[in-house]
Amino acid sequence: MLTGDLRPTRGARAATRPYRLLNASTSWLYPVLRRLFPRHTTTTDTVGRAMLAVTRRQGRGPRVLTSVGINGLAAQGAA
């Protein structure tokens, strides 16, 4: 089961070498995953927009978010 894929954007990079290698070796796969599972893929930009949306809610809402929840909150914050 695919739980989610987070793609670094705007120069962001993973803190550990294994994750940097994983991101580098699978970066070609992201467009395919995005097309097949759009609700389960996200970017660091989307996570940032979701974080801003959470702060606007002042603690109301879910305490744990999946990729689907992050994408939904980011979309609400953009509106």
Side-chain angles (χ1 to χ4, degrees):
M1 179 180 168
L2 179 68
T3 57
D5 180 49
L6 175 64
R7 262 315 112 178
T9 55
R10 298 179 188 246
R13 58 184 254 183
T16 61
R17 189 168 191 264
Y19 282 113
R20 284 194 301 270
L21 292 172
L22 181 67
N23 285 337
S25 64
T26 61
S27 62
W28 63 272
L29 190 57
Y30 181 74
V32 174
L33 291 174
R34 183 75 175 159
R35 184 167 290 260
L36 293 175
F37 308 103
R39 294 176 56 213
H40 298 282
T41 56
T42 193
T43 65
T44 52
D45 286 343
T46 304
V47 171
R49 286 193 300 274
M51 290 171 70
L52 291 172
V54 166
T55 61
R56 290 185 197 111
R57 290 176 169 229
Q58 299 175 342
R60 295 181 309 271
R63 297 183 68 65
V64 177
L65 295 171
T66 62
S67 293
V68 175
I70 291 169
N71 290 338
L73 274 175
Q76 288 175 8

